Amino acid sequence: MIDFDLVIRGGMVVTAAETSRCDVGIRGGKVAALAEHLPNGARTIDAGGKLVLPGGIDAHCHLDQPRAQGLASAGAVMADDFSSGTLSAAFGGTTTIIPFAVQHRGGSVRAAVADYHRRAAGKALIDYGFHLIVSDPSETVLREELPALLPAGYASVKVYMTYEAMRISDRQILDVLDTCRAHGALTMIHAENYECLMWLTEKLESEGKTTPKYHAVSRPMPLEREATHRAAMLAEVAQARLLIVHVSGSQALDEIRRARGRGAAIYAETCPQYLFLSEADLDLPDFEGAKCMCSPPPRDSANQELIWRGIIDGSFDIFSSDHAPYRFDALGKLLNGRIAPFRKVANGIPGLETRAPLLFSEGVMAGRISLQRFVELNSANAARLYGLYPRKGTIAVGSDADIVLWDPERKVTLTNAMLHHNVDYTPYEGRVITGWPVTVLSRGEVVCEHGELTARPGRGQFLKREPLRQGVTAWT
Ligand code: DUC
Ligand code: ZN
Ligand code: ZN
């Protein structure tokens, strides 16, 4: 007879493959048994009426990145570190995060990784990995640092086509793609045409059009479309896999579909802001529009519908928050005052805790997507693409017991007061959603339950992520 530390009894267990009513037995932090009826464990949780889901994976979020100019932050301070960020993620049903270790120009990637380990250690409540942001792909980075880091647990690299201090040239993107391909790592790209958006920004400024709503005007869909097309072309030339992050609308998605039609291994991510916010939100009075400023910007309702279509039809692989925690205060969005031109306002919105509940409510409960598709987008695909599967992203014997008991009927009015991040607003204030994570387990330990923190902050572990097997270049 197996002794279980914990048994989850009588819930509806959902994975990306199937839904079945069964008990889950947990031992040593791992799923040890799945069966119609298991004996009680040291503790037994009644999951009657609940969904038993794999913990969410937020594969794109920013935490504790230092202040710097020429970035999305425009010099503002990030309000969330690994304590508040992982607390907030957990209360929203997310049990793994993959934020970034950022190489600044002239700096070393290895040193950036060491720095972010220090930032996370002793603070994270849940498990975490790091993507590498490469802003300076020097010979040392390409020939020494990345070849050492990519196989050592950091199997993904993000590059930028925009932001003065981050962007790299097409030729440099090819170098990164080629290096990632050689080591089975995935390249991620921020696709917006920098020259074009700067030209538009300067033109708008010369006309005195500088309020937050013009942020969207300065970054229209065609410049995201062009950059997406160019990024896909570069991946085809390098014969490498590429993930386009934060896709905001139909024209970029069309480019991705076209590239896939040619056989290119292009993956796509979108975020809640492109489903639930629009450019009209940037025009809120009293500079409140700055709260919804992110890049690429939210689009119109027609694009929201087309992003939903991509969620429904399988075009999107990943659903992330792009959590970028800037408060609506003098160190955050208001760093340069309430009359600051949009280019001096930090880009990004908070969303670690609301990401999965929003997708569940408006996706599953609104009848747009199945539970299987929800699990794919919420966790399984991120685990597969970023080298964590099947340790994370599913409920199977041998997997980490990262499990969320989800009440599908619970009605919740989102307010910033109920959230656990350190940002002083949520763009979703007052939105009523259906379904909420009530009990969250990380490696078999209940970390929060019915709104209470039940585990020790700092227990989160660094996750070494596996590169893709050599020779496998296409779809997972
Ligand atoms: N855009 C980014 O590229 N990063 C962080 C937030 C944002 O809006
Ligand atoms: Zn980005
Ligand atoms: Zn981002």
Side-chain angles (χ1 to χ4, degrees), residues 151-465:
Y154 310 87
S156 47
V157 174
K158 183 179 178 193
V159 294
Y160 286 83
M161 299 169 101
T162 186
Y163 298 126
E164 187 51 46
M166 284 284 128
R167 72 197 179 104
I168 61 175
S169 69
D170 290 357
R171 190 187 175 116
Q172 290 174 312
I173 293 169
L174 284 167
D175 282 335
V176 172
L177 282 163
D178 191 43
T179 305
C180 284
R181 184 197 47 74
H183 296 279
L186 181 62
T187 308
M188 309 154 72
I189 196 159
H190 179 129
E192 288 183 294
N193 181 309
Y194 176 77
E195 295 287 345
C196 190
L197 75 86
M198 285 314 293
W199 186 84
L200 279 168
T201 299
E202 283 163 25
K203 189 167 185 323
L204 288 163
E205 283 178 347
S206 75
E207 294 164 1
K209 296 172 175 167
T210 62
T211 57
K213 75 171 178 184
Y214 291 107
H215 172 72
V217 182
S218 76
R219 306 172 103 106
M221 197 69 229
L223 64 84
E224 185 184 346
R225 180 191 72 215
E226 182 281 331
T228 302
H229 172 80
R230 184 157 37 100
M233 175 277 290
L234 294 170
E236 285 175 77
V237 169
Q239 299 188 349
R241 301 181 308 145
L242 178 66
L243 185 136
I244 316 284
V245 296
H246 46 50
V247 173
S248 74
S250 70
Q251 294 186 19
L253 187 53
D254 285 347
E255 290 301 333
I256 291 164
R257 291 187 176 122
R258 259 195 284 278
R260 287 174 174 168
R262 295 190 297 269
I266 307 294
Y267 303 89
E269 173 200 88
T270 194
C271 314
Q273 44 272 40
Y274 305 118
L275 295 173
F276 303 110
L277 302 179
S278 81
E279 59 201 3
D281 292 306
L282 271 61
D283 198 19
L284 292 172
D286 302 326
F287 211 68
E288 294 266 326
K291 292 179 174 176
C292 298
M293 274 179 63
C294 57
S295 294
R299 307 291 180 186
D300 58 11
S301 58
N303 275 290
Q304 290 175 345
E305 275 315 305
L306 288 158
I307 294 291
W308 270 120
R309 181 64 29 219
I311 295 248
I312 292 161
D313 73 12
S315 296
F316 286 108
D317 304 288
I318 302 285
F319 189 73
S320 307
S321 67
D322 197 7
H323 182 83
Y326 303 110
R327 294 170 66 96
F328 196 63
D329 70 11
L331 285 176
K333 295 275 184 180
L334 304 179
L335 185 66
N336 294 299
R338 282 183 189 253
I339 52 159
F342 62 81
R343 83 151 102 184
K344 296 203 167 162
V345 179
N347 284 199
I349 61 166
L352 272 170
E353 196 164 345
T354 46
R355 176 193 68 96
L358 282 167
L359 182 64
F360 184 87
S361 176
E362 304 312 310
V364 178
M365 297 309 285
R368 290 183 171 103
I369 59 173
S370 67
L371 281 168
Q372 272 59 53
R373 184 74 180 125
F374 174 76
V375 171
E376 275 180 11
L377 287 163
N378 186 40
S379 49
N381 284 354
R384 290 182 184 125
L385 273 173
Y386 293 118
L388 290 170
Y389 200 84
R391 177 171 175 195
K392 307 288 191 189
T394 190
I395 299 175
V397 172
S399 296
D400 281 358
D402 287 12
I403 293 175
V404 177
L405 272 58
W406 200 285
D407 181 348
E409 306 295 339
R410 175 117 161 241
K411 288 245 180 306
V412 173
T413 302
L414 295 175
T415 62
N416 200 56
M418 65 178 281
L419 301 178
H420 298 79
H421 61 191
N422 192 33
V423 182
D424 55 358
Y425 74 94
T426 169
Y428 309 111
E429 186 77 28
R431 182 180 275 271
V432 180
I433 60 170
T434 308
W436 193 255
V438 287
T439 304
V440 180
L441 279 73
S442 164
R443 282 178 280 103
E445 184 176 2
V446 178
V447 291
C448 49
E449 193 166 31
H450 303 298
E452 299 294 327
L453 174 68
T454 53
R456 176 185 58 83
R459 60 168 295 289
Q461 293 179 357
F462 171 67
L463 298 165
K464 281 191 177 185
R465 296 178 294 107

Side-chain angles (χ1 to χ4, degrees), residues 47-106:
K50 306 281 190 311
L51 298 170
V52 178
L53 304 175
I57 299 178
D58 195 335
H60 181 163
C61 52
H62 303 267
L63 292 178
D64 203 16
Q65 291 178 202
R67 289 178 91 162
Q69 292 296 336
L71 316 178
S73 65
V77 173
M78 280 199 177
D80 281 316
D81 63 6
F82 282 79
S83 300
S84 57
T86 57
L87 184 72
S88 183
F91 274 93
T94 288
T95 51
T96 297
I97 57 164
I98 316 180
F100 299 88
V102 188
Q103 177 212 23
H104 294 272
R105 287 221 183 104

Side-chain angles (χ1 to χ4, degrees), residues 2-143:
I2 308 175
D3 291 328
F4 297 114
D5 303 329
L6 179 65
V7 168
I8 299 171
R9 183 174 308 295
M12 197 64 88
V13 177
V14 185
T15 65
E18 60 192 349
T19 303
S20 58
R21 184 178 294 285
C22 67
D23 297 348
V24 184
I26 296 165
R27 193 154 31 91
K30 299 214 177 268
V31 176
L34 293 160
E36 216 169 298
H37 184 80
L38 292 172
N40 280 341
R43 178 179 173 193
T44 297
I45 300 178
D46 175 14
K50 306 281 190 311
L51 298 170
V52 178
L53 304 175
I57 299 178
D58 195 335
H60 181 163
C61 52
H62 303 267
L63 292 178
D64 203 16
Q65 291 178 202
R67 289 178 91 162
Q69 292 296 336
L71 316 178
S73 65
V77 173
M78 280 199 177
D80 281 316
D81 63 6
F82 282 79
S83 300
S84 57
T86 57
L87 184 72
S88 183
F91 274 93
T94 288
T95 51
T96 297
I97 57 164
I98 316 180
F100 299 88
V102 188
Q103 177 212 23
H104 294 272
R105 287 221 183 104
S108 120
V109 185
R110 235 195 277 261
V113 167
D115 179 29
Y116 281 83
H117 274 292
R118 280 190 292 273
R119 289 168 190 269
K123 290 190 171 175
L125 177 67
I126 54 168
D127 294 350
Y128 57 94
F130 295 118
H131 305 292
L132 310 174
I133 286 178
V134 171
S135 64
D136 191 356
S138 62
E139 282 294 296
T140 311
V141 167
L142 293 170
R143 294 193 193 283

